[in-house]
Amino acid sequence: LRVFQMRATTRHNALIISIFLMLFLLLGSLLASNAQVTSGAQVKRVMFRDDDVTPWSLGALKAVNQVHIDEGVPATLGVIPAQSFPALAQGQCSHIVVSEETSATFVAYLRSLTSSGLFELAQHGYEHCNNSRLYGVPLASEFRGMPYSEQYRLIEVGRNAMQSAFGAAPTTFIAPYNAGDENTLTALSTLGFTVYSSYQGEFTPISRERLTLKPQLLAISENETLE
């Protein structure tokens, strides 16, 4: 009788443990499922865009990029073609001359970043001139108001220079001063760009099928912080 009672007690305890484990697993599954459903509304995604990438800021660029490498956080680097490669600048708003040695060092560093998979090399305009007075527009811009043929030519020259330097054509275009126009979009779409990054609301919705808008929502200056 005692043996029978012990066996019955053992089976009873095992049954209780089994039920407890099943409830525990079920609860864990429900919590995981609920987390998957709600995480989309709770998670904030930030895309880092670093503008004005040129050989002249290489020291600071390396320091900032190292933080991204250490933390495993991707970033888009906006390269200004005419301030990065020899013989591209038109001299309209600057007389910067990039030496072959300086450009080679710069290009080699950016090439080393692409292998990590963390960095995208985007085209940041052409020369980053403020041509607003030249074309009679009320805000700073390199391309707004510029004739289509000239926009196409400058963007293409910059794109080709980046393709030659880095082995792949850029697909993201960052408008200098966060301002372009319909001719800018048409030229970019024709040249094969797929992402246009500017300020929030410049083009809503963007009027070219090939292009996707990635707006700038927040600019961080020296006197601001982002927690």
Side-chain angles (χ1 to χ4, degrees), residues 207-219:
S207 56
R208 297 297 179 275
E209 292 182 0
R210 185 189 297 266
L211 291 172
T212 298
L213 176 65
K214 298 294 184 183
Q216 173 183 280
L217 298 178
L218 174 66

Side-chain angles (χ1 to χ4, degrees), residues 129-190:
C129 294
N130 179 5
N131 293 322
S132 57
R133 288 187 179 180
L134 182 62
Y135 297 110
V137 296
L139 73 168
S141 176
E142 180 174 18
F143 291 105
R144 184 169 290 187
M146 182 185 290
Y148 173 79
S149 59
E150 184 66 1
Q151 290 200 42
Y152 184 97
R153 184 183 72 83
L154 293 178
I155 295 171
E156 182 181 37
V157 171
R159 183 205 64 177
N160 290 348
M162 290 185 65
Q163 182 173 14
S164 176
F166 306 121
T171 57
T172 294
F173 186 87
I174 300 170
Y177 307 101
N178 289 300
D181 60 16
E182 290 291 335
N183 285 331
T184 311
L185 300 184
T186 302
L188 293 173
S189 182
T190 303

Side-chain angles (χ1 to χ4, degrees), residues 7 9 18 28 30 53 57 77 87 101 105 111 124 129 133 138 150 153-154 160 180 194-195 206 209 219 224:
R7 288 178 178 174
T9 301
S18 297
L30 290 174
V53 173
S57 59
L77 306 180
E101 181 180 359
T105 301
R111 279 179 176 171
H124 190 25
C129 294
R133 288 187 179 180
E150 184 66 1
R153 184 183 72 83
L154 293 178
N160 290 348
T194 57
V195 174
I206 200 162
E209 292 182 0
E224 298 172 328

